Amino acid sequence: MTRPSVFPLPPNRTIGIVGGGQLGRMAALAAARLGYRCHILTPEPESPAGQVSAGVTLGDYEDPAALAEFASAVDVITFEFENVSAAGLDLLAALKPVRPAPSVLRTSQDRIAEKSFLNGAGAPTAPWRRVASRADLDRAAAALGLPAVLKTTRLGYDGKGQSLVTGPQALDEAFASLAPKPLVLEGFVDFACEISVIAARGEDGRAVAFDVVENRHRHHILDLTLAPAPITEETAEEARAIALRVAEALDLVGLIAVEMFVTRDGGVLVNEIAPRPHNSGHWTIDACPVSQFELFVRAVAGLPLPLPTRHSDAVMKNLVGPEETALWPEILAAPGLIPHLYGKQEARPGRKMGHVTRLFPRGALPGPFGIAAALGPLAARADRLEETVEIPLVPVG
Ligand code: AMP
């Protein structure tokens, strides 16, 4: 039996979001503005998304009873992070429409599936090899050359689950340190910069994309996003075209972030995709008439997707861990900084606690020193961008 369509979702209906983090929180705030309620599935009491939503099902993502209870409370279901099982989403999809489809999550969750899909869709990636055994790693290293990056295929984020292999002496240790197998060995990309594009695609197949942004990481965690990316028009066009092609090839209904490397010759290689709102799109809340979160909600709810435009240039700086969170009073007092805090109770090292956005007139995004200065109390931290020293991510408490 086919269900009667609930799309376009009328006001006062409920969007179910799997996951209770800050992406769900900001999506729920955007949904509220469009007259929707959100209901969150999370195992965490007091979650960032739960705090601002109409309802919460407290439960495990794999628990069939929790999934059924959650589904019964909502009209349409989406997810705000990827470490939920696609089998769990399948179960939900039998009960309510799930957007994006569980198949999209299956592709993005596994680096091998993701890279195979991307290459098949004509989206270039760094050269890569599947590595199931130590002998595979030798063959892959011989084929790709070193340095190369060895990565787990699942559950990797913010640089966890990867190892830079600089020479043959490091192969044994890198192989032993990463699990589960199989792994992926990727050719090392000596990139000029890292960029991303956020695109949305509706049920009618129409896809739209935001401007390309540059992302700078610290200790493998996104630190700054510059909008727009200081790249050539040709590179930006190629990046946007790739993102739209990926959304189309996935038959996506929803929002997707496509992270890419810009090579020294101006080429573009896809690093990874995330079929949900993305940290590198937070600037859109303040610099665009329609943010990534509104576009996400619109795509999930079957509403029209306006062409994403930006009225301002912007810099977004994440507030990570206790040191940056401690600057909150200074941030609130600084002219021009737009503060966002996620309602997390504990500022653990490496944890994303909030972000700030600074707007500039269109076309007036300053260079590195100007950006650092514009971040006021965070200037000194933005100055030390180029540091590559690893800090261990030690949980506190
Ligand atoms: P990932 O977990 O794949 O998003 O990688 C995290 C970060 O590691 C990226 O944002 C890059 O800065 C770096 N990285 C990942 N893969 C490569 C690669 N093949 N070559 C160079 N740097 C990489």
Side-chain angles (χ1 to χ4, degrees):
M1 194 187 78
T2 54
R3 288 184 292 250
S5 175
V6 291
F7 304 113
L9 197 67
N12 296 311
R13 296 297 181 93
T14 303
I15 298 175
I17 303 178
V18 178
Q22 64 267 20
L23 301 175
R25 178 187 182 93
M26 291 181 272
L29 294 172
R33 222 177 48 159
L34 293 174
Y36 296 125
R37 292 149 203 265
C38 284
H39 187 105
I40 309 298
L41 175 64
T42 172
E44 186 198 344
E46 282 302 309
S47 66
Q51 289 167 14
V52 302
S53 292
V56 177
T57 298
L58 263 189
D60 197 84
Y61 304 122
E62 314 301 325
D63 173 7
L67 291 171
E69 186 190 319
F70 167 68
S72 71
V74 307
D75 296 292
V76 57
I77 293 169
T78 189
F79 48 89
E80 62 101 62
F81 78 147
E82 286 150 278
N83 293 341
V84 48
S85 81
L89 282 191
D90 283 340
L91 214 149
L92 291 173
L95 302 169
K96 291 286 160 68
V98 173
R99 295 176 155 187
S103 60
V104 172
L105 187 72
R106 278 202 170 80
T107 302
S108 72
Q109 260 178 347
D110 177 298
R111 283 193 204 269
I112 293 174
E114 179 182 59
K115 288 174 192 302
S116 306
F117 158 78
L118 287 167
N119 296 155
T125 60
W128 61 277
R129 293 286 186 283
R130 182 177 186 275
V131 172
S133 66
R134 184 64 187 77
D136 283 350
L137 181 56
D138 280 335
R139 278 190 289 273
L144 303 180
L146 295 178
V149 186
L150 191 62
K151 300 183 179 180
T152 54
T153 49
R154 299 180 75 82
L155 297 183
Y157 65 98
D158 289 346
K160 291 172 195 157
Q162 61 169 275
S163 176
L164 176 65
V165 184
T166 48
Q169 76 290 347
L171 288 170
D172 274 337
E173 194 193 328
F175 186 76
S177 70
L178 294 172
K181 313 298 194 268
L183 307 170
V184 172
L185 189 72
E186 271 179 45
F188 181 78
V189 181
D190 176 27
F191 53 78
C193 66
E194 293 185 83
I195 58 172
S196 60
V197 176
I198 292 174
R201 186 170 176 273
E203 56 191 347
D204 60 359
R206 189 169 159 269
V208 295
F210 282 100
D211 288 322
V212 186
V213 298
E214 178 181 353
N215 300 314
R216 307 233 186 129
H217 297 84
R218 249 172 107 92
H219 312 307
H220 291 292
I221 298 170
L222 182 65
D223 182 44
L224 285 181
T225 294
L226 314 187
I231 54 176
T232 65
E233 192 47 47
E234 295 76 52
T235 302
E237 258 323 298
E238 191 186 344
R240 282 164 51 92
I242 288 173
L244 293 170
R245 198 181 313 147
V246 167
E248 169 78 33
L250 281 171
D251 198 18
L252 177 83
V253 179
L255 190 86
I256 190 166
V258 182
E259 294 186 73
M260 301 175 235
F261 301 121
V262 177
T263 57
R264 302 261 165 210
D265 60 3
V268 174
L269 299 173
V270 177
N271 178 27
E272 58 185 8
I273 60 177
R276 51 159 174 83
H278 193 259
N279 196 169
S280 68
H282 291 358
W283 65 279
T284 61
I285 298 175
D286 301 306
C288 302
V290 177
S291 73
Q292 67 159 344
F293 296 101
E294 179 171 340
L295 214 55
F296 171 58
V297 169
R298 281 174 173 259
V300 168
L303 304 186
L305 299 182
L307 214 54
T309 55
R310 65 171 213 285
H311 51 69
S312 303
D313 289 0
V315 174
M316 187 285 310
K317 163 112 185 64
N318 269 339
L319 300 177
V320 179
E323 300 96 334
E324 293 182 353
T325 312
L327 295 169
W328 190 242
E330 286 92 328
I331 290 167
L332 290 175
L337 292 188
I338 305 173
H340 298 255
L341 211 57
Y342 305 149
K344 297 182 185 178
Q345 316 276 328
E346 214 186 327
R348 293 191 286 264
R351 194 172 198 207
K352 292 172 183 170
M353 302 299 293
H355 71 269
V356 301
T357 313
R358 175 79 202 239
L359 299 181
F360 303 91
R362 256 188 87 110
L365 189 70
F369 293 114
I371 286 174
L375 289 172
L378 293 158
R381 304 205 49 93
D383 257 355
R384 304 204 317 254
L385 262 179
E386 305 310 328
E387 273 181 17
T388 52
V389 188
E390 268 315 291
I391 43 157
L393 298 176
V394 187
V396 165

